[in-house]
Amino acid sequence: MEQEVNSMNYLTKQAAMKNAGDDILKISGMAHKAKLENPDVVNATVGSLYTDKSKLYQFQLINYVLATIPNEEMFAYAQTDGGEVFKESALKWVFRSKLSKMKNSMNISVVATPGGSGAISNTLFNYVNAGDSILLTDIYWGPYQFMINEIGANIVTHPMFDGSKFNVKAFKEVAENIVAKEQKLVTIINDPCHNPTGYSMTKEEWLELISYFNSLGKRNIPVVVIYDIAYIDYSMYGQDGSREILALLQETNEHVLNVLTFSGSKTFSVYGLRLGAQIALSKSKKLIDDFERTALYSTRAKWSCPPKIGISILNKLMSTEETEKVFVEELADARNLIQARSSIFLNEANEVGLVMHPYKSGFFMSIPSEHPNQLVEDLRKKDIYVVPMEKGIRMAVSSIPTDQMPGLAKRIKEVIE
Ligand code: PLP
């Protein structure tokens, strides 16, 4: 007979509480199955970019680049930080025309990671003690919770919106409470194309936050801004407009450490390759030296080195102006596709009076609801599959074919009523 074991005696105290839940996977699986049986099913659960023929979106240039990479450049170990060529390529891509200005005004360090997720968790790991608070908007991407629980820290939220604007006042009020108790501020800001609302902050909103961060310096409060730019290449500000906002970080003072977390998954539509980077920026050289030392250490401790294929793709893409230019054009088509889908929905939502969170651009839109699970279930009965979130539902416009958009807002509104 099998001996009874108490599995809780095996797990650490921290691990015993872990439960990632399977709500999203479950509803996604159901949607996938339903769509195979009935093509009219709307599957708005998939957080990746899909074509209008419901195939994973692929960039021709990325496929071309991949086909020309020698085996050795795919299968060999990568350098722990990604290597010098990668670091420069990542900076060139992320900052574009603003790069030389950024280099002149800030100290910068780049460490390659497996996706944006690796970049966020590697940053949290070295900057947040167990028991500390991390400031988030009250609507946020679910996996932050796993990353923050993993290090024994706490999420503290502020109301994200004041009407249709980012609630800077609430951000500052809640930040002040944290600072009063902990004498340090760590925040994650997911912008532009916030997941799950699709909100993108304005230049003025960013400037107000930066001025607040700088004011904390006068009180000697350390500030760590984890700036999750996973969807930067899908911003309605466009390829260069989105970088205008990034360049505002030059205004942050010495005591602010900014860590941009880049996701190649979304930009290059290579989700499974796990391409990403932590890009630390500060006026303080000491903060950047410490960042590099500790990020590299944690990389060695956790995944040893990043996947080589993604590194090689980015290096090759950025190796000539021609390849980069062709890719930028392809990316504009992808952005326009999402914008076309979302415009149909937004116009109709407006016509039928469907209340939404303020969407600007990107993969996701969300609709507030006090009973998200019930709403998901009611919509499912009408062949519309969406994902529940805290106080609302999330719709991935990134994966709904354009011809399924007309009439969708009205159908949702009817179910809500
Ligand atoms: N940040 C946000 C807001 C996301 O939605 C995602 C992916 O869905 C990521 C970061 C990380 O993406 P990845 O780890 O695939 O690069």
Coordinates of all heavy atoms in Angstrom, one line a residue, residues 178-264:
I178 N 3.2 54.6 1.2 CA 4.3 53.6 1.1 C 5.6 54.2 1.6 O 6.3 53.6 2.5 CB 4.5 53.0 -0.3 CG1 3.2 52.3 -0.8 CG2 5.7 52.1 -0.4 CD1 3.2 51.8 -2.2
V179 N 5.9 55.4 1.1 CA 7.2 56.0 1.4 C 7.2 56.3 2.9 O 8.3 56.2 3.6 CB 7.3 57.3 0.6 CG1 8.4 58.2 1.1 CG2 7.6 56.9 -0.9
A180 N 6.1 56.8 3.5 CA 6.1 57.1 4.9 C 6.4 55.8 5.8 O 7.1 55.9 6.8 CB 4.7 57.6 5.3
K181 N 6.0 54.7 5.3 CA 6.2 53.4 6.1 C 7.6 52.8 5.7 O 8.3 52.3 6.6 CB 5.2 52.4 5.8 CG 3.9 52.6 6.5 CD 3.0 51.4 6.4 CE 1.7 51.8 5.8 NZ 1.2 51.1 4.8
E182 N 8.0 52.9 4.4 CA 9.1 52.0 4.0 C 10.3 52.8 3.5 O 11.4 52.3 3.2 CB 8.6 51.1 2.9 CG 7.5 50.2 3.4 CD 6.9 49.3 2.3 OE1 7.5 49.1 1.3 OE2 5.8 48.7 2.6
Q183 N 10.2 54.2 3.4 CA 11.3 55.0 3.0 C 11.9 54.6 1.7 O 13.1 54.8 1.4 CB 12.4 55.1 4.0 CG 12.1 56.1 5.2 CD 11.2 55.4 6.2 OE1 11.4 54.3 6.6 NE2 10.1 56.1 6.5
K184 N 11.1 54.1 0.8 CA 11.5 53.6 -0.5 C 10.3 53.5 -1.4 O 9.2 53.1 -0.9 CB 12.3 52.3 -0.4 CG 12.8 51.7 -1.7 CD 13.6 50.4 -1.4 CE 14.0 49.7 -2.7 NZ 14.7 48.5 -2.4
L185 N 10.4 53.7 -2.7 CA 9.3 53.5 -3.6 C 9.7 52.6 -4.8 O 10.7 52.9 -5.5 CB 8.8 54.9 -4.2 CG 7.6 54.7 -5.1 CD1 6.4 54.2 -4.4 CD2 7.3 56.1 -5.8
V186 N 9.0 51.5 -5.0 CA 9.2 50.7 -6.2 C 7.9 50.6 -6.9 O 6.8 50.3 -6.2 CB 9.7 49.2 -5.8 CG1 9.9 48.4 -7.1 CG2 11.0 49.3 -5.0
T187 N 7.8 50.9 -8.2 CA 6.6 50.8 -8.9 C 6.8 50.2 -10.2 O 7.9 50.2 -10.8 CB 6.0 52.3 -9.0 OG1 4.7 52.2 -9.7 CG2 6.9 53.2 -9.8
I188 N 5.7 49.5 -10.7 CA 5.8 49.0 -12.1 C 4.8 49.8 -12.9 O 3.6 49.9 -12.5 CB 5.4 47.5 -12.2 CG1 6.2 46.6 -11.3 CG2 5.5 47.0 -13.6 CD1 5.8 45.1 -11.3
I189 N 5.2 50.4 -14.0 CA 4.3 51.2 -14.9 C 4.3 50.5 -16.2 O 5.3 50.3 -16.9 CB 4.8 52.6 -15.0 CG1 4.8 53.2 -13.6 CG2 3.9 53.4 -15.9 CD1 5.2 54.7 -13.5
N190 N 3.1 50.0 -16.6 CA 3.0 49.3 -17.9 C 2.4 50.3 -18.9 O 1.2 50.6 -18.8 CB 2.1 48.1 -17.6 CG 1.7 47.3 -18.9 OD1 0.7 46.7 -19.0 ND2 2.6 47.4 -19.9
D191 N 3.3 50.7 -19.8 CA 2.9 51.8 -20.7 C 3.8 51.8 -21.9 O 5.0 51.5 -21.7 CB 3.0 53.2 -19.9 CG 2.4 54.3 -20.7 OD1 1.2 54.4 -20.9 OD2 3.2 55.1 -21.2
P192 N 3.4 52.1 -23.1 CA 2.0 52.3 -23.5 C 1.3 51.0 -23.7 O 1.8 50.0 -23.5 CB 2.3 53.0 -24.9 CG 3.5 52.4 -25.4 CD 4.4 52.2 -24.2
C193 N 0.0 51.2 -24.2 CA -0.8 50.0 -24.5 C -1.0 49.1 -23.3 O -0.7 47.9 -23.4 CB -0.3 49.2 -25.7 SG 0.3 50.1 -27.1
H194 N -1.3 49.7 -22.2 CA -1.5 49.0 -20.9 C -2.3 47.7 -21.1 O -3.4 47.7 -21.8 CB -2.2 49.9 -19.9 CG -2.5 49.3 -18.6 ND1 -3.8 48.9 -18.3 CD2 -1.8 49.1 -17.5 CE1 -3.8 48.4 -17.1 NE2 -2.6 48.6 -16.6
N195 N -1.8 46.6 -20.5 CA -2.6 45.4 -20.5 C -3.2 45.3 -19.1 O -2.6 45.3 -18.1 CB -1.6 44.2 -20.6 CG -2.3 42.8 -20.6 OD1 -3.5 42.7 -20.5 ND2 -1.5 41.8 -20.7
P196 N -4.5 45.2 -19.0 CA -5.5 44.9 -20.1 C -6.4 46.1 -20.6 O -7.4 45.8 -21.3 CB -6.5 44.0 -19.3 CG -6.5 44.6 -17.9 CD -5.1 45.2 -17.7
T197 N -6.1 47.3 -20.3 CA -7.1 48.4 -20.8 C -6.7 49.0 -22.2 O -7.6 49.5 -22.8 CB -7.1 49.5 -19.8 OG1 -5.8 50.2 -19.8 CG2 -7.5 49.1 -18.4
G198 N -5.5 48.9 -22.6 CA -5.1 49.6 -23.8 C -4.8 51.1 -23.6 O -4.7 51.8 -24.6
Y199 N -4.8 51.5 -22.4 CA -4.5 53.0 -22.1 C -3.0 53.3 -22.4 O -2.2 52.4 -22.2 CB -4.8 53.3 -20.6 CG -4.8 54.8 -20.4 CD1 -5.7 55.7 -20.9 CD2 -3.7 55.4 -19.7 CE1 -5.6 57.0 -20.7 CE2 -3.6 56.7 -19.5 CZ -4.6 57.6 -20.0 OH -4.5 58.9 -19.9
S200 N -2.8 54.5 -22.9 CA -1.4 54.9 -23.1 C -1.3 56.3 -22.5 O -2.1 57.2 -22.8 CB -1.0 55.0 -24.6 OG -1.1 53.7 -25.1
M201 N -0.3 56.4 -21.6 CA -0.2 57.7 -20.9 C 0.3 58.8 -21.8 O 1.0 58.6 -22.7 CB 0.8 57.6 -19.7 CG 0.2 56.8 -18.5 SD 1.5 56.3 -17.3 CE 2.0 57.8 -16.7
T202 N -0.1 60.1 -21.4 CA 0.3 61.2 -22.2 C 1.7 61.7 -21.7 O 2.1 61.4 -20.6 CB -0.7 62.4 -22.1 OG1 -0.7 62.8 -20.7 CG2 -2.1 62.0 -22.6
K203 N 2.3 62.6 -22.5 CA 3.6 63.2 -22.1 C 3.4 63.9 -20.8 O 4.2 63.9 -19.9 CB 4.0 64.1 -23.3 CG 5.3 64.6 -23.2 CD 5.7 65.4 -24.5 CE 7.0 66.0 -24.3 NZ 7.4 66.9 -25.4
E204 N 2.3 64.6 -20.7 CA 2.0 65.5 -19.5 C 1.9 64.6 -18.3 O 2.5 64.9 -17.2 CB 0.7 66.3 -19.6 CG 0.8 67.4 -20.7 CD 0.9 66.9 -22.1 OE1 0.4 65.9 -22.4 OE2 1.6 67.6 -22.9
E205 N 1.2 63.4 -18.4 CA 1.1 62.5 -17.3 C 2.5 62.0 -16.8 O 2.8 61.9 -15.6 CB 0.1 61.4 -17.6 CG -1.3 61.9 -17.7 CD -2.3 60.9 -18.4 OE1 -1.8 59.9 -19.0 OE2 -3.5 61.2 -18.3
W206 N 3.3 61.6 -17.8 CA 4.6 61.2 -17.5 C 5.4 62.3 -16.8 O 6.2 62.0 -15.8 CB 5.4 60.7 -18.8 CG 5.2 59.2 -18.9 CD1 4.5 58.5 -19.9 CD2 5.8 58.2 -18.1 NE1 4.6 57.2 -19.7 CE2 5.4 56.9 -18.6 CE3 6.7 58.2 -17.0 CZ2 5.8 55.7 -18.1 CZ3 7.1 57.0 -16.5 CH2 6.7 55.8 -17.0
L207 N 5.3 63.5 -17.3 CA 6.1 64.6 -16.7 C 5.7 64.8 -15.3 O 6.6 65.1 -14.4 CB 6.0 65.9 -17.5 CG 6.8 65.9 -18.8 CD1 6.4 67.1 -19.7 CD2 8.3 65.8 -18.5
E208 N 4.4 64.7 -15.0 CA 3.9 64.8 -13.6 C 4.5 63.8 -12.7 O 5.0 64.0 -11.6 CB 2.4 64.8 -13.5 CG 1.7 66.1 -13.8 CD 0.2 65.9 -13.5 OE1 -0.2 65.8 -12.4 OE2 -0.5 65.8 -14.5
L209 N 4.6 62.5 -13.2 CA 5.1 61.4 -12.4 C 6.6 61.7 -12.2 O 7.1 61.5 -11.1 CB 5.0 60.1 -13.1 CG 3.6 59.4 -13.1 CD1 3.7 58.0 -13.6 CD2 3.0 59.4 -11.6
I210 N 7.3 62.1 -13.2 CA 8.8 62.3 -13.1 C 9.1 63.4 -12.1 O 10.0 63.3 -11.3 CB 9.4 62.6 -14.5 CG1 9.3 61.3 -15.3 CG2 10.8 63.1 -14.4 CD1 9.7 61.4 -16.8
S211 N 8.2 64.4 -12.2 CA 8.5 65.5 -11.2 C 8.2 65.0 -9.8 O 9.0 65.4 -8.8 CB 7.6 66.7 -11.6 OG 7.0 67.3 -10.6
Y212 N 7.3 64.1 -9.6 CA 7.1 63.6 -8.3 C 8.3 62.7 -7.8 O 8.8 62.8 -6.7 CB 5.8 62.7 -8.2 CG 5.6 62.0 -6.9 CD1 5.4 62.7 -5.7 CD2 5.6 60.6 -6.9 CE1 5.3 62.0 -4.5 CE2 5.5 59.9 -5.7 CZ 5.3 60.7 -4.5 OH 5.2 60.0 -3.3
F213 N 8.8 61.9 -8.8 CA 9.9 61.0 -8.4 C 11.1 61.9 -8.0 O 11.8 61.6 -7.0 CB 10.4 60.1 -9.6 CG 9.3 59.2 -10.1 CD1 9.2 58.8 -11.4 CD2 8.4 58.6 -9.2 CE1 8.2 57.9 -11.9 CE2 7.5 57.7 -9.6 CZ 7.4 57.3 -10.9
N214 N 11.3 63.0 -8.7 CA 12.4 63.9 -8.4 C 12.2 64.6 -7.1 O 13.2 64.8 -6.3 CB 12.5 65.0 -9.5 CG 13.1 64.4 -10.8 OD1 13.7 63.2 -10.7 ND2 13.0 65.0 -11.9
S215 N 10.9 64.8 -6.7 CA 10.7 65.5 -5.4 C 11.1 64.5 -4.3 O 11.5 64.9 -3.2 CB 9.2 65.9 -5.3 OG 8.4 64.8 -5.1
L216 N 10.9 63.2 -4.5 CA 11.3 62.2 -3.5 C 12.8 62.3 -3.2 O 13.3 62.0 -2.1 CB 10.9 60.8 -3.9 CG 9.3 60.6 -3.9 CD1 9.0 59.2 -4.4 CD2 8.7 60.7 -2.5
G217 N 13.6 62.6 -4.3 CA 15.0 62.7 -4.1 C 15.4 63.7 -3.1 O 16.4 63.5 -2.3
K218 N 14.6 64.8 -3.0 CA 15.0 65.9 -2.0 C 14.8 65.3 -0.6 O 15.3 65.9 0.3 CB 14.1 67.1 -2.3 CG 14.3 67.7 -3.6 CD 13.6 69.0 -3.8 CE 13.8 69.5 -5.3 NZ 12.6 69.4 -6.1
R219 N 14.0 64.3 -0.5 CA 13.9 63.6 0.9 C 14.7 62.4 1.0 O 14.5 61.5 1.9 CB 12.4 63.3 1.1 CG 11.5 64.5 1.2 CD 10.1 64.1 1.6 NE 9.2 64.0 0.4 CZ 8.2 63.2 0.4 NH1 7.8 62.4 1.4 NH2 7.4 63.2 -0.7
N220 N 15.7 62.2 0.0 CA 16.5 61.0 0.1 C 15.8 59.7 0.0 O 16.2 58.7 0.6 CB 17.4 61.0 1.3 CG 18.5 62.0 1.2 OD1 19.0 62.2 0.0 ND2 18.9 62.6 2.2
I221 N 14.7 59.7 -0.7 CA 13.9 58.4 -0.9 C 14.4 57.7 -2.2 O 14.3 58.3 -3.3 CB 12.4 58.7 -1.0 CG1 11.9 59.5 0.2 CG2 11.6 57.4 -1.2 CD1 11.9 58.8 1.5
P222 N 14.9 56.5 -2.1 CA 15.2 55.7 -3.3 C 14.0 55.4 -4.1 O 13.0 55.1 -3.5 CB 15.9 54.4 -2.8 CG 16.1 54.6 -1.3 CD 15.2 55.7 -0.8
V223 N 14.1 55.6 -5.4 CA 13.0 55.3 -6.3 C 13.4 54.3 -7.4 O 14.4 54.6 -8.1 CB 12.4 56.6 -7.0 CG1 11.3 56.3 -7.9 CG2 12.0 57.6 -5.9
V224 N 12.6 53.2 -7.5 CA 12.9 52.3 -8.6 C 11.7 52.2 -9.5 O 10.6 51.9 -9.0 CB 13.2 50.9 -8.1 CG1 13.5 49.9 -9.2 CG2 14.4 50.9 -7.1
V225 N 11.8 52.6 -10.7 CA 10.7 52.6 -11.7 C 10.9 51.4 -12.7 O 11.8 51.5 -13.5 CB 10.6 53.9 -12.4 CG1 9.4 53.9 -13.4 CG2 10.5 55.1 -11.5
I226 N 10.1 50.4 -12.5 CA 10.1 49.3 -13.5 C 9.1 49.7 -14.6 O 7.9 49.8 -14.4 CB 9.8 48.0 -12.8 CG1 10.7 47.7 -11.7 CG2 9.8 46.8 -13.9 CD1 10.4 46.5 -10.9
Y227 N 9.7 50.0 -15.8 CA 8.8 50.5 -16.8 C 8.6 49.4 -17.9 O 9.5 49.1 -18.7 CB 9.6 51.7 -17.4 CG 9.0 52.6 -18.4 CD1 9.7 53.8 -18.7 CD2 7.8 52.4 -19.0 CE1 9.1 54.7 -19.7 CE2 7.3 53.2 -19.9 CZ 7.9 54.4 -20.3 OH 7.4 55.2 -21.2
D228 N 7.5 48.8 -17.8 CA 7.2 47.6 -18.6 C 6.7 48.1 -20.0 O 5.5 48.5 -20.2 CB 6.1 46.8 -17.9 CG 5.7 45.6 -18.7 OD1 6.2 45.4 -19.8 OD2 4.9 44.7 -18.2
I229 N 7.6 48.1 -21.0 CA 7.3 48.6 -22.3 C 7.0 47.4 -23.3 O 7.3 47.5 -24.5 CB 8.5 49.4 -22.9 CG1 9.8 48.6 -22.9 CG2 8.6 50.7 -22.1 CD1 10.9 49.3 -23.7
A230 N 6.4 46.3 -22.7 CA 6.1 45.2 -23.6 C 5.5 45.5 -24.9 O 5.7 44.9 -25.9 CB 5.3 44.1 -22.8
Y231 N 4.6 46.5 -24.9 CA 3.8 46.8 -26.1 C 4.2 48.1 -26.8 O 3.4 48.6 -27.6 CB 2.3 46.8 -25.8 CG 1.8 45.5 -25.2 CD1 1.8 45.2 -23.9 CD2 1.4 44.4 -26.1 CE1 1.4 44.0 -23.4 CE2 1.0 43.2 -25.6 CZ 1.0 43.0 -24.3 OH 0.6 41.7 -23.8
I232 N 5.4 48.5 -26.5 CA 5.8 49.9 -27.1 C 5.6 50.0 -28.6 O 5.3 51.0 -29.1 CB 7.2 50.2 -26.6 CG1 7.5 51.6 -27.0 CG2 8.3 49.3 -27.2 CD1 8.7 52.3 -26.3
D233 N 5.9 48.9 -29.3 CA 5.8 49.0 -30.7 C 4.4 48.9 -31.3 O 4.3 49.0 -32.5 CB 6.8 47.9 -31.3 CG 8.2 48.3 -31.1 OD1 8.6 49.4 -31.4 OD2 9.0 47.5 -30.5
Y234 N 3.4 48.9 -30.4 CA 2.0 48.9 -30.9 C 1.3 50.2 -30.5 O 0.1 50.3 -30.5 CB 1.3 47.7 -30.4 CG 1.9 46.5 -31.1 CD1 3.0 45.8 -30.5 CD2 1.5 46.0 -32.3 CE1 3.6 44.7 -31.1 CE2 2.1 45.0 -33.0 CZ 3.2 44.3 -32.3 OH 3.8 43.3 -33.0
S235 N 2.1 51.2 -30.0 CA 1.5 52.4 -29.5 C 1.0 53.3 -30.7 O 1.5 53.3 -31.8 CB 2.6 53.2 -28.8 OG 2.2 54.6 -28.7
M236 N -0.1 54.0 -30.4 CA -0.7 54.9 -31.4 C 0.2 56.1 -31.7 O 0.0 56.8 -32.6 CB -2.2 55.3 -31.0 CG -2.3 56.4 -30.1 SD -1.8 56.0 -28.4 CE -2.2 57.5 -27.5
Y237 N 1.1 56.3 -30.8 CA 2.1 57.4 -31.0 C 3.1 57.1 -32.1 O 3.8 57.9 -32.6 CB 2.9 57.7 -29.7 CG 2.0 58.2 -28.6 CD1 2.2 57.7 -27.3 CD2 1.2 59.3 -28.7 CE1 1.4 58.1 -26.2 CE2 0.4 59.8 -27.7 CZ 0.5 59.2 -26.4 OH -0.2 59.6 -25.4
G238 N 3.1 55.8 -32.5 CA 3.9 55.4 -33.7 C 5.3 55.0 -33.2 O 5.7 55.2 -32.0
Q239 N 6.1 54.5 -34.2 CA 7.4 54.0 -33.9 C 8.3 55.1 -33.2 O 9.1 54.8 -32.3 CB 8.1 53.6 -35.2 CG 9.1 52.5 -35.1 CD 8.5 51.2 -34.7 OE1 7.4 50.9 -35.0 NE2 9.2 50.4 -33.9
D240 N 8.3 56.3 -33.7 CA 9.1 57.3 -33.1 C 8.5 58.1 -32.0 O 9.1 58.5 -31.0 CB 9.7 58.2 -34.2 CG 10.6 57.5 -35.1 OD1 11.5 56.8 -34.5 OD2 10.5 57.5 -36.3
G241 N 7.1 58.3 -32.1 CA 6.4 59.1 -31.1 C 6.5 58.4 -29.8 O 6.6 59.0 -28.7
S242 N 6.5 57.0 -29.8 CA 6.6 56.3 -28.5 C 7.9 56.6 -27.8 O 8.0 56.6 -26.6 CB 6.3 54.8 -28.7 OG 7.2 54.3 -29.6
R243 N 8.9 56.8 -28.6 CA 10.3 57.0 -28.1 C 10.4 58.4 -27.5 O 11.3 58.7 -26.7 CB 11.4 56.8 -29.1 CG 11.8 55.3 -29.3 CD 10.7 54.4 -29.7 NE 11.2 53.0 -29.8 CZ 10.4 52.0 -30.2 NH1 9.2 52.1 -30.4 NH2 11.0 50.8 -30.2
E244 N 9.6 59.4 -28.0 CA 9.6 60.7 -27.4 C 9.3 60.6 -25.9 O 9.9 61.3 -25.1 CB 8.5 61.6 -28.0 CG 8.6 61.8 -29.5 CD 9.5 63.0 -29.8 OE1 9.6 63.9 -28.9 OE2 10.1 63.0 -30.9
I245 N 8.4 59.7 -25.6 CA 8.0 59.6 -24.2 C 9.1 58.9 -23.4 O 9.5 59.4 -22.3 CB 6.7 58.8 -24.1 CG1 5.6 59.5 -24.8 CG2 6.3 58.5 -22.6 CD1 4.2 59.7 -24.3
L246 N 9.7 57.9 -24.0 CA 10.9 57.2 -23.3 C 11.9 58.2 -23.0 O 12.6 58.1 -21.9 CB 11.5 56.1 -24.2 CG 10.9 54.8 -24.3 CD1 11.8 53.8 -25.0 CD2 10.4 54.2 -23.0
A247 N 12.2 59.1 -23.9 CA 13.3 60.1 -23.7 C 13.0 61.0 -22.6 O 14.0 61.6 -22.1 CB 13.5 60.9 -25.0
L248 N 11.8 61.1 -22.1 CA 11.5 62.0 -20.9 C 12.3 61.5 -19.7 O 12.5 62.2 -18.7 CB 10.0 62.0 -20.6 CG 9.1 62.6 -21.7 CD1 7.6 62.4 -21.2 CD2 9.4 64.0 -22.0
L249 N 12.7 60.2 -19.7 CA 13.4 59.7 -18.5 C 14.7 60.4 -18.2 O 15.2 60.3 -17.1 CB 13.6 58.2 -18.7 CG 12.4 57.3 -18.8 CD1 12.8 55.8 -18.9 CD2 11.5 57.4 -17.5
Q250 N 15.1 61.1 -19.3 CA 16.4 61.9 -19.1 C 16.2 63.0 -18.0 O 17.1 63.5 -17.4 CB 16.7 62.7 -20.3 CG 17.2 61.9 -21.5 CD 17.3 62.8 -22.7 OE1 18.4 63.2 -23.0 NE2 16.2 63.1 -23.3
E251 N 14.9 63.3 -17.7 CA 14.6 64.3 -16.7 C 14.7 63.7 -15.3 O 14.6 64.5 -14.3 CB 13.2 64.9 -16.8 CG 12.8 65.4 -18.2 CD 13.7 66.6 -18.6 OE1 14.0 67.3 -17.7 OE2 14.0 66.7 -19.8
T252 N 14.8 62.4 -15.1 CA 14.8 61.8 -13.7 C 16.2 62.1 -13.1 O 17.2 62.0 -13.7 CB 14.5 60.3 -13.7 OG1 15.4 59.6 -14.6 CG2 13.1 60.0 -14.1
N253 N 16.2 62.4 -11.8 CA 17.4 62.8 -11.1 C 18.2 61.6 -10.6 O 17.7 60.4 -10.7 CB 17.0 63.7 -9.9 CG 16.6 65.0 -10.3 OD1 16.8 65.4 -11.5 ND2 16.0 65.8 -9.4
E254 N 19.3 61.8 -10.0 CA 20.3 60.8 -9.6 C 19.7 59.6 -8.8 O 20.2 58.5 -8.9 CB 21.4 61.4 -8.7 CG 22.7 61.5 -9.4 CD 22.9 62.8 -10.1 OE1 22.0 63.7 -9.9 OE2 23.9 63.0 -10.8
H255 N 18.8 60.0 -7.9 CA 18.3 58.9 -7.0 C 17.3 58.0 -7.6 O 16.8 57.1 -7.0 CB 17.7 59.6 -5.7 CG 16.4 60.2 -6.1 ND1 16.4 61.3 -6.9 CD2 15.2 59.9 -5.8 CE1 15.1 61.7 -7.1 NE2 14.4 60.8 -6.5
V256 N 16.9 58.2 -8.9 CA 15.9 57.4 -9.6 C 16.6 56.4 -10.4 O 17.5 56.7 -11.3 CB 15.0 58.2 -10.5 CG1 13.9 57.3 -11.1 CG2 14.3 59.3 -9.7
L257 N 16.3 55.1 -10.2 CA 16.7 54.0 -11.1 C 15.5 53.6 -12.0 O 14.5 53.2 -11.4 CB 17.2 52.8 -10.3 CG 17.6 51.6 -11.1 CD1 18.8 51.8 -11.9 CD2 17.8 50.3 -10.2
N258 N 15.7 53.8 -13.3 CA 14.7 53.3 -14.2 C 15.1 52.0 -14.8 O 16.2 51.9 -15.3 CB 14.5 54.3 -15.4 CG 14.3 55.7 -14.9 OD1 13.2 56.0 -14.4 ND2 15.3 56.6 -14.9
V259 N 14.2 51.0 -14.8 CA 14.6 49.8 -15.5 C 13.5 49.5 -16.5 O 12.3 49.2 -16.2 CB 14.7 48.6 -14.6 CG1 15.2 47.3 -15.3 CG2 15.7 48.9 -13.4
L260 N 13.8 49.7 -17.8 CA 12.9 49.4 -18.9 C 12.9 47.9 -19.1 O 14.0 47.3 -19.1 CB 13.3 50.0 -20.2 CG 13.6 51.5 -20.2 CD1 13.7 52.0 -21.7 CD2 12.4 52.3 -19.6
T261 N 11.7 47.3 -19.2 CA 11.7 45.8 -19.4 C 11.1 45.6 -20.8 O 10.0 45.9 -21.1 CB 10.9 45.1 -18.3 OG1 9.6 45.6 -18.2 CG2 11.6 45.2 -17.0
F262 N 12.0 45.1 -21.7 CA 11.6 45.0 -23.1 C 11.2 43.6 -23.4 O 11.8 42.6 -22.9 CB 12.8 45.4 -24.0 CG 12.6 45.1 -25.4 CD1 11.7 45.9 -26.2 CD2 13.3 44.1 -26.1 CE1 11.5 45.7 -27.5 CE2 13.1 43.9 -27.4 CZ 12.2 44.6 -28.2
S263 N 10.2 43.4 -24.3 CA 9.7 42.1 -24.7 C 9.8 41.9 -26.2 O 9.1 42.6 -26.9 CB 8.2 41.9 -24.2 OG 7.7 40.8 -24.9
G264 N 10.7 41.1 -26.6 CA 10.8 40.8 -28.0 C 9.6 40.0 -28.5 O 9.3 39.9 -29.7

